[in-house]
DNA sequence: TAAACGATATACTCGCTGGTAAAATATAGA
DNA sequence: TCTATATTTTACCAGCGAGTATATCGTTTA
């Protein structure tokens, strides 16, 4: 395809959006590997071959960069939740479907950022919004568990604590799983979900 | 009891040790609430009513302060592991005992610090040591699971992944559980362990 | 062609915080 | 009492990194 150096208004808008996205991708990678504080915006810029003010041209400040990253991740989780709601089968089946997606997402770039970002590093306002978004995901998970209990496919457990237990277990790979070596995210996800839903004790 | 202002050599040694401990306690609290980077050594010193160089008189530098904190936490976990090994009953019983202690410890000050501290914030050397110590705890957990499988009290699962699943789930309260409000650490621990060992599906 | 606009870079400020030098004060022991 | 040692402070330095003022250059549009 022939690309002319003369862009239409629409093309320029798209290009700007792509660059913005590229900044976020580069940022989230560095945040995940080095940690938010250790990754400077100079580093992020350098990894893209540009200079720091370019980042400010596309995003407000470091806090906003991080907030956008976690928002991307939360959105993926939200999508997984609504997909699970439409999944056929029992409540347990739907929950399992969600859990597997949840695990896979949190092993990806933006999902991992959601897990690794603790509230204190965000500005007070962003932290509030972030908590709110996370609460939404937690709510979705609790709803699925409750449905499963209602239709008898899940044992009557403390819903709140069960949600935390499941999320906690599935969040952990975000801290150790390396995409390069060993098991695929899918394998890990499936096995963990099996352990969680089946329990340890033999039947 | 009468305390004279004139201390013996032994008393002075003890007092020094107490002050060192007080620094660690103050530090770990601030690290846990504000995060390692956001909590400055000036803050830590201020919370004790002393000045920053005093901290350096008892501990080398900020990295070492953190490392000592996580070491304290790891030691508690290690003690729990050896206690569990001597616990009577089946492999599953021993594992459950360990898991409950594990959960309670990681809701305490030093244990929480172990969970909340990601390797990147430590110096390269401290991070190596830290990983080593964590590997030891992981090894203990895997051994308990393997024993349970051997004696038939635990279903034949992937030991490595099971250990990560259990640890991940139990680590999570370190990030949200507030000691002040709601359930006690013990209650949370017990319920989570029940969910993990029993699974979600009804029997 | 001129003016406006968008994208990017250079080069800077400024605050914060880890870390230290040196002095002051107290305590212990000879 | 004098000296050595332990404890703690004040006052400082250095570096890093977030964020900004301003210039440049190309592109669009009137």
């Amino acid at each position: 395809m022939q690309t002319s150096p003369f862009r239409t208004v629409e093309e320029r808008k798209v290009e700007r959006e792509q660059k913005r996205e590229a900044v976020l991708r580069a940022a989230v990678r560095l945040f995940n590997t080095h940690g938010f504080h250790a990754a400077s915006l100079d580093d992020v810029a350098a990894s893209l071959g540009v200079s720091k003010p370019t980042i400010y041209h596309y995003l407000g400040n470091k806090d906003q960069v991080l907030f956008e990253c976690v928002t991307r991740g939360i959105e993926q989780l939200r999508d997984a939740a609504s997909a699970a709601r439409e999944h056929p089968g029992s409540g347990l089946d739907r929950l399992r479907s969600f859990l597997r997606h949840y695990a896979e997402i949190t092993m990806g770039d933006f999902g991992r950022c959601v897990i690794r970002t603790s509230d204190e590093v965000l500005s007070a306002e962003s932290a509030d919004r972030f908590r709110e978004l996370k609460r939404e995901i937690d709510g979705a998970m609790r709803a699925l568990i409750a449905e499963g209990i209602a239709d008898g496919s899940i044992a009557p457990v403390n819903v709140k604590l069960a949600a935390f237990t499941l999320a906690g277990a599935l969040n952990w790979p975000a801290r150790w799983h390396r995409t390069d070596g060993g098991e695929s995210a899918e394998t890990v996800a499936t096995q963990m979900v099996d352990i969680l839903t089946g329990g340890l004790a033999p039947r």
Side-chain angles (χ1 to χ4, degrees), chain A:
Chain A
M1 89 186 117
Q2 178 88 3
T3 45
S4 151
F6 303 96
R7 306 286 152 78
T8 70
V9 175
E10 188 55 31
E11 281 172 337
R12 300 192 81 199
K13 210 170 169 183
V14 168
E15 194 173 315
R16 184 184 169 89
E17 194 48 45
Q18 284 173 342
K19 288 184 181 174
R20 199 182 136 100
E21 210 69 25
V23 170
L24 291 176
R25 276 228 124 68
V28 78
R29 293 241 168 85
L30 286 177
F31 291 166
N32 285 339
T33 52
H34 303 325
F36 178 71
H37 284 285
S40 74
L41 287 185
D42 279 314
D43 292 340
V44 175
S47 82
L48 288 164
V50 297
S51 66
K52 186 168 50 177
T54 301
I55 293 180
Y56 282 87
H57 190 246
Y58 291 97
L59 291 153
N61 58 14
K62 201 182 180 186
D63 174 73
Q64 200 175 120
V65 174
L66 179 58
F67 183 71
E68 284 269 355
C69 288
V70 298
T71 303
R72 289 279 188 295
I74 292 270
E75 267 159 16
Q76 293 177 20
L77 292 174
R78 198 191 281 156
D79 291 346
S82 46
R85 265 192 290 275
E86 287 161 27
H87 193 88
S90 69
L92 179 59
D93 290 334
R94 282 203 295 281
L95 177 64
R96 285 174 56 95
S97 157
F98 177 52
L99 293 180
R100 272 194 303 267
H101 287 327
Y102 183 105
E104 286 181 43
I105 290 166
T106 54
M107 286 184 250
D109 284 337
F110 290 113
R112 170 170 295 165
C113 189
V114 171
I115 306 306
R116 298 184 66 118
T117 298
S118 34
D119 298 349
E120 326 101 33
V121 309
L122 285 161
S123 71
E125 306 79 53
S126 299
D128 282 347
R129 287 273 305 133
F130 186 35
R131 267 189 287 266
E132 211 174 293
L133 292 169
K134 286 190 290 189
R135 202 156 24 216
E136 202 182 313
I137 303 300
D138 180 48
M141 181 154 346
R142 292 195 201 187
L144 285 170
I145 296 172
E147 285 171 38
I149 294 176
D151 74 14
S153 57
I154 293 179
V157 291
N158 178 327
V159 174
K160 175 183 165 188
L161 226 39
F164 275 124
T165 305
L166 297 175
L170 298 177
N171 286 343
W172 205 238
R175 306 197 154 258
W176 57 265
H177 185 258
R178 294 267 142 258
T179 43
D180 41 277
E183 309 92 336
S184 75
E186 202 190 333
T187 312
V188 172
T190 307
Q191 293 194 54
M192 290 187 86
V193 172
D194 285 347
I195 292 173
L196 286 169
T197 51
L200 290 178
R203 313 231 146 196

